[in-house]
């Protein structure tokens, strides 16, 4: 078989492999942002080209193993090969062109993904990581949340950092194909354009300690109208209560605690921290003789005082004692203890 026939077979198999990858079902997670579509298109092109080159190389490799195999018992040296200068130039130049081409394409995609919209200002969300939870603040709306809520069809600019004295985390949303490091004392920026309504996962991609695998949150991409309504609800929940009106304990719990704790009374299903439907048993086991109400209050204002196994110390933020008003803390204690 001539080298030209082998080359033809190699090109044919390479083309078949490339088409097979192109037409195969997608193995990517759902696309929920413009950035995800760009990333997936670039990756798919890379996989198609890699498959094409792979089949060509393997075809020549198999042919060479068969064509130039040594007869059994032949211990002589092979004929000296002086090479082919033109062939060496070609097989060096072509991969170089491919690699440089993909580098340029990746640079273009990165530039597009980081570009701030010139038509309307983005929604700014400040993201803070700490062992082992994410928290979010919307500075323009003055809203704190343990759940990331975003409007579909707009642009979001994340300002990401980590608590002073904490470790490095990585804020990553797989449905957006976007992520950036959360570094103590340093703010990094990430831009995303959500395009699909739904609930997606926020994870930490930087090994950050014993609770790393539990450092998860969710992002809800909702309509603009629903987002505006959510902002209004959060602002109302955070506003100081009127002197004659009670605190909405369920709203306070959902806003500050729901992303980490399960509580049937507030319809939350967080799994980062202890299940608070088991609170009475935990108070008896870990409360060191304190009443259930005192156990709950201590857990809010001084979480290191009552550490529930197997959850590590410092998992729960120690800021609720100052960020929540005394009326809000009292309302939470009443909600969690059933008025005991």
């Amino acid at each position: 078989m001539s080298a030209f026939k082998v080359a033809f077979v190699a090109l044919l198999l390479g083309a078949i492999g490339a088409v097979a990858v192109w037409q195969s079902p997608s193995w990517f997670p759902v696309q929920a942002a413009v950035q995800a579509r760009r990333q997936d298109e670039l990756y798919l092109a890379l996989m198609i080209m890699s498959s094409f080159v792979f089949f060509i190389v393997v075809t020549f490799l198999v042919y060479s193993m068969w064509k130039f195999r040594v007869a059994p018992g032949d211990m002589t040296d092979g004929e000296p090969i002086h090479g082919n200068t033109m062939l060496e130039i070609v097989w060096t130049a072509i991969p170089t062109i491919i690699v440089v081409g993909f580098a340029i394409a990746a640079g273009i995609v990165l530039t597009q993904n980081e570009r701030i919209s010139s038509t309307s200002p983005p929604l700014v969300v400040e993201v803070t990581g700490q062992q082992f939870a994410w928290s979010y603040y919307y500075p323009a709306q003055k809203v704190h949340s343990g759940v990331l809520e975003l409007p579909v069809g707009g642009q979001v600019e994340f300002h990401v950092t980590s608590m002073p004295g904490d470790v490095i985390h990585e804020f990553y949303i797989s449905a957006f194909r976007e992520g950036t490091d959360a570094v103590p004392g340093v703010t990094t920026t990430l831009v995303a354009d959500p395009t699909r309504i739904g609930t997606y996962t926020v994870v930490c991609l930087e090994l950050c300690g014993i609770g790393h695998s539990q450092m998860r949150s969710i992002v809800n991409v909702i309509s603009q109208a629903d987002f505006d309504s959510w902002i209004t609800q959060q602002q109302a929940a955070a506003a100081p209560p009127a002197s004659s009106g009670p605190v909405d304990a369920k709203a306070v719990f959902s806003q500050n605690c729901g992303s980490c704790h399960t509580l049937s009374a507030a319809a939350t299903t967080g799994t980062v921290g202890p299940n608070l439907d088991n609170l009475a048993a935990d108070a008896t086991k870990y409360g060191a003789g304190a009443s259930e109400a005192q156990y709950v209050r201590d857990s809010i204002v001084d979480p290191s005082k009552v550490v529930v196994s197997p959850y590590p110390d410092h998992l729960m933020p120690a800021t609720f004692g100052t960020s929540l008003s005394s009326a809000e803390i009292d309302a939470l204690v009443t909600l969690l203890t059933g008025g005991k």
Side-chain angles (χ1 to χ4, degrees):
M1 182 182 294
S2 68
F4 290 105
K5 290 182 179 179
V6 177
F8 175 78
V9 172
L11 290 172
L12 179 61
L13 291 176
I16 292 173
V19 172
V21 171
W22 179 34
Q23 294 297 321
S24 65
S26 176
W27 56 81
F28 298 115
V30 63
Q31 293 179 0
V34 173
Q35 288 75 11
R37 175 184 56 78
R38 294 185 186 129
Q39 295 278 78
D40 289 356
E41 289 174 352
L42 178 64
Y43 193 82
L44 180 60
L46 182 60
M47 287 298 298
I48 290 173
M49 180 58 70
S50 298
S51 299
F52 181 69
V53 173
F54 172 80
F55 278 101
I56 291 176
V57 171
V58 169
T59 299
F60 276 104
L61 179 62
V62 172
Y63 171 75
S64 298
M65 291 169 62
W66 170 79
K67 177 68 175 177
F68 304 107
R69 67 189 185 280
V70 175
D74 186 355
M75 302 299 292
T76 61
D77 293 336
E79 294 292 329
I81 298 175
H82 299 288
N84 185 308
T85 302
M86 180 56 67
L87 182 60
E88 292 176 2
I89 291 174
V90 170
W91 75 33
T92 300
I94 292 178
T96 299
I97 293 171
I98 293 173
V99 170
V100 171
F102 274 104
I104 293 172
I108 293 173
V109 169
L110 181 61
T111 301
Q112 291 175 333
N113 284 353
E114 294 179 343
R115 183 176 298 146
I116 301 295
S117 172
S118 59
T119 57
S120 60
L123 169 70
V124 175
V125 181
E126 296 179 359
V127 181
T128 302
Q130 69 177 94
Q131 293 178 312
F132 299 96
W134 297 106
S135 59
Y136 310 101
Y137 177 61
Y138 301 75
Q141 295 77 17
K142 294 181 171 57
V143 167
H144 291 271
S145 178
V147 176
L148 183 57
E149 302 277 345
L150 301 176
V152 70
Q155 187 172 77
V156 184
E157 183 178 355
F158 298 104
H159 296 172
V160 184
T161 189
S162 183
M163 293 286 286
D166 208 274
V167 300
I168 296 176
H169 305 277
E170 182 174 348
F171 173 72
Y172 183 77
I173 304 174
S174 61
F176 293 177
R177 315 292 193 271
E178 291 275 88
T180 187
D181 283 345
V183 183
V186 177
T187 299
T188 56
T189 301
L190 188 69
V191 177
D193 297 80
T195 57
R196 182 187 178 108
I197 291 177
T199 299
Y200 311 104
T201 305
V202 180
V203 300
C204 175
L205 286 190
E206 193 81 33
L207 184 59
C208 57
I210 192 171
H212 166 69
S213 62
Q214 300 181 27
M215 191 169 174
R216 291 173 174 262
S217 179
I218 61 172
V219 50
N220 291 319
V221 180
I222 55 182
S223 68
Q224 183 65 54
D226 287 343
F227 178 76
D228 293 339
S229 176
W230 178 80
I231 287 293
T232 300
Q233 293 173 0
Q234 299 305 304
Q235 290 172 335
S243 57
S244 59
V247 174
D248 186 344
K250 292 182 180 179
V252 174
F253 184 91
S254 297
Q255 179 187 8
N256 296 278
C257 318
S259 64
C260 294
H261 296 284
T262 292
L263 181 66
S264 299
T268 62
T269 57
T271 58
V272 175
N275 185 333
L276 298 185
D277 288 334
N278 305 325
L279 187 59
D282 287 344
T284 301
K285 183 175 182 180
Y286 300 103
S291 65
E292 187 176 343
Q294 187 60 48
Y295 171 81
V296 172
R297 188 177 299 276
D298 289 343
S299 299
I300 296 172
V301 301
D302 186 14
S304 291
K305 184 176 180 180
V306 280
V307 180
V308 175
S309 177
Y311 302 96
D313 193 8
H314 305 301
L315 177 62
M316 179 169 167
T319 57
F320 290 124
T322 55
S323 63
L324 297 176
S325 67
S326 58
E328 289 172 326
I329 294 175
D330 291 341
L332 286 176
V333 172
T334 301
L335 172 68
L336 291 167
T337 61
K340 297 177 184 177

